[in-house]
Amino acid sequence: MDRLDELGRRIMRLATDKHRPLWIEGVLVFATDRMTAPMGTVTEPMLTVVAQGAKRTVLGEHAFEHHPGQVSVVTVDLPVVGQITRASATEPFLALGLRLEPATVAQLLVDGGPTTIRPHDGPGMAVSDAGDDLLDAIVRLIRLLDRPRDFQVLAAGVRREIHWWLLNGPQAAMLRQVGIADSRLALVARAIAWIRSRYDQVIRIDDLASDIGTSVSSLNRHFRAVTAMSPVQYQKHIRLQKARIELIAAPHDVAAIGYSVGYDNPSQFSREYRRMFGAPPRQDALRLQTMDIVRE
């Protein structure tokens, strides 16, 4: 608990903007004293440690609760809905994030030698308690931010250590796939990059499977296991989440924003938007303008 308290104090001091996550030397720090409305975003591969407060993340039909002393790991770009569920002026929500490095994972798999770990068959996101060694390394990394000269020399080694403890923790099976070029996660990551580069276009699953070198059946099976949705559903989530963010700034341009994310039919856009977010585009955007949200 001493390490967790120190982590929280350092996050609070560094997070000068209390409404948005802040990146400092590749380390994300975030503090807020407000609970937030659910807001969609696309996460990148990273680990996040909660030092205080609580957050809820929804991926498809999976819901993840993040509490103090827990680490969440995301291994591919995933469209999720996040919400700060516990935060106050006296006990703000405090969290630290760090991007995962596939090259570091791959090198550690070589340096660490052979090991037997059961295959990971779940989604590309998980939450577990942060072990003492992992938490200690994370605290040492954030301490280095106060010493820029030391940070330049020592931070890379501490980042490597953090990846090592993740590879030897509860999420080892999932993380191992990040560093293996022909793993299921690597295949899904290629598919995700392909879809995101064409999110506003009509896509054919046959073309996607052919371009990434797999069969349609294998693609669909692995993609759903990692992301909790099909490739077409993933594209729809990306489209609608991008539209939702744009609508907050321009709630009256519904048709134009729908078209910009790939919808030729305004009625279809409004119908699918309402199905995902529970309200028509303009009404939802006006509601969000009056609520606290967190956008990364």
Side-chain angles (χ1 to χ4, degrees):
M1 292 303 296
D2 289 342
R3 293 190 187 95
L4 199 60
D5 288 343
E6 180 181 353
L7 179 62
R9 290 194 303 271
R10 290 180 178 274
I11 291 171
M12 191 67 183
R13 181 169 55 81
L14 291 168
T16 53
D17 185 338
K18 297 300 187 290
H19 300 287
R20 296 177 64 90
L22 177 66
W23 286 96
I24 305 172
E25 296 288 354
V27 178
L28 179 147
V29 292
F30 179 53
T32 182
D33 59 6
R34 300 175 182 177
M35 294 183 288
T36 64
M39 189 64 189
T41 188
V42 179
T43 65
E44 59 183 305
M46 66 184 306
L47 69 92
T48 304
V49 177
V50 173
Q52 187 170 272
K55 180 180 180 181
R56 189 171 193 262
T57 302
V58 177
L59 169 64
E61 297 179 352
H62 301 278
F64 301 88
E65 303 291 341
H66 313 252
H67 297 287
Q70 292 188 316
V71 58
S72 66
V73 174
V74 176
T75 52
V76 293
D77 295 349
L78 295 174
V80 300
V81 175
Q83 179 181 16
I84 308 300
T85 56
R86 190 167 76 241
S88 67
T90 55
E91 293 189 7
F93 175 81
L94 305 171
L96 175 145
L98 192 67
R99 291 186 177 96
L100 291 180
E101 302 169 0
T104 298
V105 174
Q107 187 61 55
L108 287 170
L109 290 175
V110 173
D111 295 346
T115 185
T116 302
I117 296 179
R118 295 173 57 187
H120 175 74
D121 297 322
M125 179 177 182
V127 177
S128 63
D129 292 339
D132 290 341
D133 292 324
L134 174 60
L135 195 57
D136 178 69
I138 290 170
V139 170
R140 283 188 279 112
L141 180 66
I142 198 171
R143 283 176 188 162
L144 287 174
L145 291 174
D146 287 336
R147 307 195 301 273
R149 186 165 177 265
D150 294 338
F151 186 94
Q152 295 303 317
V153 176
L154 301 176
V158 181
R159 290 177 192 271
R160 175 181 163 90
E161 182 184 348
I162 289 170
H163 283 70
W164 174 251
W165 295 126
L166 286 174
L167 272 171
N168 288 274
Q171 301 168 17
M174 183 178 70
L175 194 67
R176 281 177 61 85
Q177 295 187 39
V178 173
I180 300 174
D182 60 350
S183 70
R184 181 187 65 175
L185 279 178
L187 182 148
V188 173
R190 294 197 300 273
I192 285 172
W194 193 95
I195 294 169
R196 294 192 68 182
S197 69
R198 300 165 175 81
Y199 78 90
D200 57 349
Q201 305 171 23
V202 176
I203 63 172
R204 295 181 66 252
I205 301 304
D206 288 349
D207 293 339
L208 168 56
S210 175
D211 284 357
I212 67 171
T214 189
S215 67
V216 171
S217 60
S218 179
L219 168 64
N220 283 327
R221 183 173 69 256
H222 294 316
F223 199 96
R224 186 175 291 277
V226 172
T227 68
M229 60 192 75
S230 71
V232 172
Q233 289 172 323
Y234 183 97
Q235 183 196 39
K236 184 185 296 185
H237 274 71
I238 296 295
R239 283 181 171 184
L240 293 175
Q241 288 188 6
K242 285 182 176 291
R244 196 183 201 197
I245 291 172
E246 292 181 21
L247 280 164
I248 294 172
H252 303 290
D253 294 337
V254 174
I257 289 173
Y259 181 79
S260 73
V261 298
Y263 284 92
D264 294 329
N265 186 323
S267 296
Q268 181 188 6
F269 171 59
S270 294
R271 184 170 59 252
E272 294 189 356
Y273 189 102
R274 181 170 188 165
R275 187 179 300 129
M276 179 171 291
F277 299 120
R282 183 172 180 273
Q283 179 182 331
D284 180 59
L286 291 172
R287 179 179 63 87
L288 287 173
Q289 286 183 335
T290 67
M291 301 177 71
D292 289 318
I293 60 174
V294 175
R295 282 176 283 172
E296 296 188 34

